[in-house]
């Protein structure tokens, strides 16, 4: 009996300039380019074993066997890898996150970055970074940004061939810290794949898209010049714009909880008092609070005092998706 195994590790990422809305929902070709930072220390480990004789693909996520939508999305992705290699075997996939899943901490990004690497390697493909990023994109758009390391830009491209992500600065370029203020969520929000389909129903999406080129330029320069003030201005604006689109789509999507807003207001207040700090939120209620490393401890203590903050995760810029020696999950 033949078995083919590989294990990969990747980090989630936080978008500084957001991806929201697709030109093509199947290929996940985005309406606009985006920029993000990988979150070092937050880790997804994924072990993939293709085996002759397995009747179907299986998925175990954080020790629990998955069925339904998560499994069919995974199987659809593995079909793509099978098509690329001409192999027909099904796979056992075991994956674990060391951070909360499905709460606005881009777990699908690290999930599909690690899966793309582990599955393609297991079946004997040795993809270049850009092709691995393109493959990961088919599983989850933002996953293409978890393939390269550090500060990353996803160019929207013209087609599948040139819609991929690349590093604009390595992790050690800038000692930024992301303090993720985890807020208790009362209900499970609508997932991003569904959300992207609603973006064009908002009357604000056109205006958001019209300014994205300028914001990408401003964000890229702020990163390259390590200009925290400029970064703060552009990422808070971009986060607010995306959430305005979400809130005005049909049906509307409200990801914020009361505590999310309380944190945003505190962060703005601290900044007006002279602290280097700013916020951004992905598709969830948790607030990513960014600051230079030297301010992180003080801000972490202040965040912990805000009612509704249940946990604070801390991440520095993280490296690329990479292979691991062996699976520690079986
Ligand atoms: O990759 P998806 O389909 O989970 O979409 C991610 C969408 C946001 O996290 C809200 C923004 C982004 O650019 O990551």
């Amino acid at each position: 009996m033949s078995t083919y195994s590989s294990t990969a590790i990747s980090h989630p990422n936080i978008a500084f300039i957001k991806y929201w809305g697709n030109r093509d929902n199947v290929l996940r070709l985005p309406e606009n380019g985006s920029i993000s930072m990988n979150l070092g220390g937050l880790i997804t480990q994924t072990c993939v074993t293709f085996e002759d004789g397995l009747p179907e693909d299986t998925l175990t996520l954080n020790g629990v066997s998955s069925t339904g939508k998560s499994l069919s999305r995974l199987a659809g992705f593995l079909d793509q890898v099978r098509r690329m290699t001409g192999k027909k075997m099904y796979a056992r996939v075991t994956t674990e996150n060391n951070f909360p899943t499905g709460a606005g901490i881009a777990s699908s990004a690290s999930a599909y970055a690690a899966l793309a690497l582990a599955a393609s390697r297991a079946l004997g493909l040795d993809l270049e970074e850009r092709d691995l990023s393109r493959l990961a994109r088919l599983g989850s758009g933002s996953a293409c940004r978890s393939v390269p390391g550090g500060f990353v830009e996803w160019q929207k491209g013209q087609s599948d061939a040139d819609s991929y992500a690349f590093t604009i600065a390595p992790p050690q370029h800038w000692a930024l810290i992301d303090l993720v203020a985890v807020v208790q969520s009362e209900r499970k929000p609508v997932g991003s794949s569904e959300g992207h389909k609603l973006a064009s129903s908002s009357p604000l999406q056109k205006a958001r898209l019209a300014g994205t080129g300028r914001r990408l330029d401003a964000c890229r320069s702020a990163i390259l010049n390590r200009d925290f003030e400029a970064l703060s201005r552009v990422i808070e604006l971009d986060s607010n714009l995306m959430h305005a689109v979400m809130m005005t789509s049909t049906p509307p999507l409200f990801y914020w909880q009361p505590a999310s807003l309380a944190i945003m207001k505190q962060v703005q207040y601290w900044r007006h008092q002279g602290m280097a700090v700013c916020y951004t939120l992905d598709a969830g209620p948790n607030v990513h609070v960014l600051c230079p490393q030297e301010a992180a401890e003080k801000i972490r203590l202040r965040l912990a005092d805000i009612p509704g903050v249940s946990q604070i995760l801390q991440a520095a810029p993280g490296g690329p998706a990479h292979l691991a020696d062996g699976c520690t999950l079986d």
Side-chain angles (χ1 to χ4, degrees):
M1 190 191 343
S2 312
T3 63
Y4 303 85
S5 296
S6 191
T7 297
I9 286 175
S10 71
H11 304 292
N13 65 72
I14 177 64
F16 288 175
I17 300 297
K18 311 293 187 184
Y19 146 55
W20 196 245
N22 284 320
R23 279 134 60 211
D24 180 323
N25 282 315
V26 175
L27 290 175
R28 296 181 196 267
L29 297 176
E31 288 280 10
N32 64 276
S34 53
I35 291 180
S36 58
M37 178 181 102
N38 281 359
L39 301 180
L42 307 190
I43 279 171
T44 296
Q45 183 186 172
T46 300
C47 313
V48 179
T49 300
F50 289 91
E51 201 171 297
D52 274 337
L54 284 181
E56 59 184 1
D57 295 315
T58 60
L59 169 63
T60 307
L61 171 58
N62 293 334
V64 179
S65 164
S66 286
T67 50
K69 268 192 187 167
S70 337
L71 180 60
S72 49
R73 183 166 169 187
L74 170 109
F77 182 81
L78 292 176
D79 283 343
Q80 176 64 30
V81 183
R82 282 185 278 260
R83 271 195 295 277
M84 288 165 77
T85 58
K87 301 221 166 72
K88 298 221 158 30
M89 283 164 279
Y90 290 113
R92 261 186 289 118
V93 176
T94 315
T95 186
E96 222 164 86
N97 296 327
N98 73 348
F99 56 92
T101 301
I105 307 168
S107 53
S108 67
S110 50
Y112 279 96
L115 182 66
L117 178 55
S120 58
R121 266 313 167 96
L123 290 185
L125 289 176
D126 185 6
L127 298 175
E128 281 180 25
E129 185 184 89
R130 79 163 59 175
D131 291 328
L132 188 61
S133 174
R134 288 173 50 225
L135 175 60
R137 192 199 75 228
L138 299 175
S140 170
S142 58
C144 76
R145 298 191 312 241
S146 280
V147 170
F151 300 86
V152 172
E153 179 160 356
W154 173 11
Q155 62 180 24
K156 69 175 191 166
Q158 306 287 326
S159 66
D160 171 58
D162 61 352
S163 187
Y164 59 86
F166 51 86
T167 295
I168 52 177
Q172 60 279 13
H173 168 74
W174 196 3
L176 278 187
I177 296 293
D178 181 6
L179 294 162
V180 191
V182 178
V183 161
Q184 294 292 6
S185 160
E186 281 156 23
R187 64 182 181 87
K188 202 161 164 45
V190 174
S192 315
S193 297
E194 292 314 302
H196 290 296
K197 293 179 189 154
L198 302 178
S200 62
S201 69
S202 163
L204 305 183
Q205 172 75 337
K206 251 197 189 134
R208 189 188 76 87
L209 292 173
T212 307
R214 275 197 306 279
R215 291 191 303 282
L216 283 167
D217 290 345
C219 182
R220 199 184 306 109
S221 313
I223 291 170
L224 294 177
N225 298 322
R226 299 187 196 87
D227 182 343
F228 192 84
E229 225 180 286
L231 184 79
S232 303
R233 271 195 304 273
V234 73
I235 78 174
E236 285 192 5
L237 171 62
D238 196 83
S239 175
N240 295 344
L241 279 165
M242 179 184 72
H243 284 271
V245 166
M246 291 164 158
M247 290 172 190
T248 51
S249 65
T250 307
L253 295 174
F254 278 76
Y255 286 106
W256 297 355
Q257 294 289 328
S260 318
L261 186 58
I263 299 164
M264 288 185 255
K265 295 199 76 132
Q266 276 303 311
V267 167
Q268 282 179 340
Y269 174 67
W270 296 334
R271 195 166 61 255
H272 292 147
Q273 287 183 317
M275 292 180 83
V277 60
C278 64
Y279 68 77
T280 185
L281 290 86
D282 278 348
N286 299 327
V287 185
H288 293 251
V289 177
L290 292 148
C291 63
Q293 192 173 28
E294 53 279 13
E297 190 48 26
K298 189 168 169 186
I299 292 169
R300 202 179 61 76
L301 291 172
R302 288 188 179 200
L303 284 172
D305 275 346
I306 299 177
V309 174
S310 60
Q311 191 186 355
I312 299 167
L313 309 174
Q314 182 160 341
H322 57 278
L323 292 167
D325 284 343
C327 183
T328 59
L329 304 179
D330 285 342

